[in-house]
Amino acid sequence: MTIQRRSVVETLEARKLLSTSYFVTADAGYVPQSGARVAPADVNALDLAAGDQLLFSADETFGGPLVLNAADSGEAGAPVVIGSFDPTPGTGPARATLLNASGSGVTATNIQYVVLQDLILDGGNYTTNPGGDGVSFVNTLPGSIKLNSITLKNLDVSDFGSTVVKPKRGEAVATGGWGIRIGGTVDKSGYADVLIEDVSVHHNERGGIEVYGAWNPTSTQYANANVTIRRATVNDNYGIIGFTPKHTGSGIILSDAQLGLIEQSVASYNGKFNASVGGPVGIWAWDADQITIQRNESHHNQTGSTADGGGFDLDGGVTNSVMQYNYSHDNDGAGYGVFQFSGARPFGNNAIRYNISANDGRKNGYGGITMWNGASSPMNTDIHNNTVYMSAATSGTPRAVYVMSPTVNIRVRNNVFQTTPGVRTLEIVGKQTGLVFQGNAYYAGGGSLSIKDFTTTYTTVSAWRTKSGQEKLGTVNTDLSGDPGLTSVTVPTFNNASTLLNDLLGMSSFRLSSTSAARNAGVAITGTYYGPPLTGLDFFDGLSPDGAWSIGADDAA
């Protein structure tokens, strides 16, 4: 929008009194009770100020993009609010539509204290949209400056496409195609206090939601801080066909951020056209610190390549973070990935706990839980009290748990690893340092176990223990070999972010029966703990530990 200056008003309350509500409608006869009518063609010429509202008629469809800049910023306690109004209350849809089949929906540069809500942002068709993001907030200021308070609520963002430029030299570059993208491009500039809530992001070409910064693996700073993504539904963001330089088609990516939360969100059917060897994943974080990913469902995510397509992931450069109380199922890749790549910031002090993985690894041989270290550095990760169920896949050779490279300092304790007959229970590749398996339950549905450690395959935990020293605490054997007594291995799909919390807590599958041998059979999680502090709750909100430790995600008596 154009930069025009208003007279200085000394107090915040006075600014609120002088704020204006702008009602955008093509109806020249519309007269608002207060505020001003604005013709659609004049919207981008407005100069918004603290406390202003810019409201689009919910009875109409408007051409995009909406363009905002620093002059349109609000202030603390008086944000600029952009949304919809109903000119005939009770008779029309609740949200206006901004349609731009030839680019972006909303582009906001160096702006802060903004609420964007109650809108449908439509790119027309991602296969013909020439390259734009549905919602883009970008900080281009030098000097590692954080802009404040961006709130996105009740948005539907779909069908934005990418443009791929192929230079004479170097790799092809893709622009646009994200549903929602927030971050910085210079130094460690970005955003603080970001809330993305109750949004639906679907059928965008490059991906769903991304929070990002200018990557610098030697920096101790992060571009973004205090980011919350809650009750997001992110689906059918397929990726760019034939684009190999970088992964495309992820659901939610949180990166270059310190203090982040992703919860009660659903990611599904993303990534099927990804052509890169690496990525995509339904919900994941990388290059980030103090991230919590909890109470989410990630299912049927895919990849068009030989890599990933998983449910959840803590990836390169993640520290002091946790994935807990999540439900992953029917993904091509790992249900839960713990991955560190060469050149990333240090990785570690993370935990994967009280999650459920069911029938992940549908392609390319991933495990329900998969670990990989491409950096040869300590990973310092605790993986405990998860429940993994794995049946055979029509393609690929899945495992319940897969250590797919040498790793350093990973502890795997009190997990249920249950497969159908003939499916590998555990595979460990290469020489390990500080890898500990204790207190886990191994069950192959009545068939023989398949535990491959380096080059040898064992059919019993006892034989593996004799060779490896795993599943012992001092002189005590710690494993449970046999049926852990799960109530059901039916794999439900919930797919509703608004009810997901109650759906997960009420799930009847993957609980321990009252007579389960896994109850109170785990090892105590005491002493040094790699991840963030325990919450005292299991997947189903029961106390954990409830007396002695149980095995699996259901720990309460």
Side-chain angles (χ1 to χ4, degrees):
M1 293 184 180
T2 58
I3 301 177
Q4 302 172 7
R5 300 299 180 192
R6 295 187 176 192
S7 58
V8 176
V9 179
E10 294 299 328
T11 67
L12 177 60
E13 192 60 34
R15 285 187 182 273
K16 290 181 179 179
L17 292 173
L18 291 177
S19 64
T20 301
S21 294
Y22 297 100
F23 296 86
V24 185
T25 175
D27 181 1
Y30 180 78
V31 179
Q33 292 182 348
S34 61
R37 173 193 169 268
V38 177
D42 298 330
V43 169
N44 282 336
L46 288 173
D47 173 31
L48 300 176
D52 284 355
Q53 297 185 86
L54 179 63
L55 305 175
F56 293 82
S57 171
D59 286 351
E60 301 175 50
T61 296
F62 302 88
L66 173 64
V67 180
L68 306 168
N69 60 33
D72 301 306
S73 293
E75 294 178 355
V80 167
V81 177
I82 301 169
S84 299
F85 77 97
D86 192 347
T88 52
T91 62
R95 296 181 289 188
T97 298
L98 273 62
L99 171 64
N100 186 7
S102 58
S104 298
V106 176
T107 62
T109 304
N110 300 335
I111 192 172
Q112 59 184 340
Y113 298 109
V114 175
V115 177
L116 182 69
Q117 63 185 16
D118 304 329
L119 291 168
I120 297 171
L121 303 164
D122 187 349
N125 187 320
Y126 77 86
T127 65
T128 56
N129 184 295
D133 297 320
V135 177
S136 172
F137 280 78
V138 59
N139 181 343
T140 64
L141 301 174
S144 300
I145 294 171
K146 285 183 174 58
L147 299 171
N148 297 299
S149 190
I150 304 299
T151 297
L152 310 180
K153 298 178 67 174
N154 193 28
L155 303 176
D156 187 289
V157 188
S158 68
D159 280 295
F160 289 89
S162 297
T163 294
V164 176
V165 177
K166 297 180 179 179
K168 291 182 179 179
R169 296 180 179 179
E171 294 182 330
V173 177
T175 60
W178 287 99
I180 295 173
R181 196 165 191 246
I182 298 178
T185 59
V186 181
D187 300 329
K188 285 301 171 185
S189 293
Y191 291 90
D193 300 323
V194 175
L195 174 63
I196 303 172
E197 188 172 69
D198 298 313
V199 298
S200 177
V201 184
H202 56 99
H203 295 95
N204 300 286
E205 188 170 20
R206 193 172 180 186
I209 300 171
E210 183 185 41
V211 177
Y212 69 99
W215 187 49
N216 180 355
T218 65
S219 178
T220 59
Q221 296 179 283
Y222 294 87
N224 306 288
N226 195 23
V227 178
T228 298
I229 302 172
R230 179 181 295 120
R231 291 190 301 273
T233 300
V234 185
N235 60 278
D236 298 284
N237 302 286
Y238 296 137
I240 303 172
I241 295 174
F243 183 74
T244 59
K246 293 185 178 181
H247 57 82
T248 62
S250 284
I252 300 173
I253 304 176
L254 182 52
S255 69
D256 215 330
Q258 188 169 51
L259 289 175
L261 171 65
I262 305 172
E263 67 176 359
Q264 298 174 46
S265 296
V266 179
S268 64
Y269 294 98
N270 300 291
K272 71 177 182 179
F273 293 145
N274 169 70
S276 175
V277 180
V281 175
I283 298 174
W284 61 298
W286 73 282
D287 196 45
D289 178 60
Q290 299 176 63
I291 306 302
T292 299
I293 300 175
Q294 65 180 16
R295 305 292 189 196
N296 303 287
E297 180 184 19
S298 188
H299 67 93
H300 294 95
N301 295 289
Q302 300 168 294
T303 180
S305 77
T306 58
D308 294 316
F312 299 90
D313 174 19
L314 296 182
D315 214 293
V318 169
T319 52
N320 305 304
S321 297
V322 61
M323 296 191 291
Q324 60 187 8
Y325 316 130
N326 299 291
Y327 177 38
S328 176
H329 61 96
D330 299 293
N331 296 289
D332 277 1
Y336 302 90
V338 182
F339 302 142
Q340 168 71 336
F341 61 85
S342 178
R345 299 197 217 203
F347 182 102
N349 297 329
N350 300 315
I352 294 86
R353 62 196 186 204
Y354 301 105
N355 302 285
I356 294 172
S357 166
N359 289 340
D360 290 309
R362 297 298 87 188
K363 182 179 180 180
N364 300 329
Y366 282 91
I369 299 173
T370 302
M371 294 147 268
W372 175 79
N373 187 1
S376 302
S377 55
M379 300 187 77
N380 294 354
T381 298
D382 275 309
I383 301 172
H384 67 92
N385 288 96
N386 303 283
T387 296
V388 177
Y389 173 74
M390 188 69 74
S391 66
T394 56
S395 64
T397 53
R399 299 104 160 131
V401 60
Y402 189 15
V403 186
M404 61 187 306
S405 76
T407 65
V408 182
N409 295 352
I410 295 179
R411 296 183 296 210
V412 183
R413 297 177 288 182
N414 295 354
N415 303 282
V416 169
F417 301 133
Q418 179 169 333
T419 70
T420 55
V423 174
R424 178 154 287 160
T425 314
L426 165 64
E427 183 166 351
I428 301 172
V429 174
K431 183 179 179 181
Q432 306 295 319
T433 302
L435 179 65
V436 174
F437 277 77
Q438 290 176 336
N440 301 290
Y442 304 82
Y443 182 54
S448 296
L449 295 176
S450 175
I451 299 174
K452 185 176 182 180
D453 191 343
F454 201 45
T455 59
T456 303
T457 299
Y458 305 91
T459 58
T460 67
V461 175
S462 177
W464 175 50
R465 174 173 39 247
T466 299
K467 182 68 175 179
S468 67
Q470 298 287 5
E471 289 298 347
K472 288 184 73 70
L473 184 58
T475 60
V476 178
N477 297 339
T478 57
D479 65 293
L480 173 64
S481 293
D483 190 347
L486 298 178
T487 53
S488 169
V489 293
T490 300
V491 183
T493 297
F494 299 117
N495 212 43
N496 187 335
S498 64
T499 63
L500 183 61
L501 178 60
N502 289 332
D503 290 337
L504 295 178
L505 293 177
M507 184 163 58
S508 59
S509 299
F510 306 110
R511 294 175 181 263
L512 297 180
S513 68
S514 59
T515 58
S516 168
R519 290 200 176 277
N520 301 325
V523 298
I525 307 293
T526 58
T528 301
Y529 186 77
Y530 288 136
L534 293 164
T535 67
L537 296 174
D538 69 5
F539 182 95
F540 300 102
D541 251 5
L543 294 177
S544 180
D546 186 10
W549 288 79
S550 293
I551 302 174
D554 178 10
D555 193 30

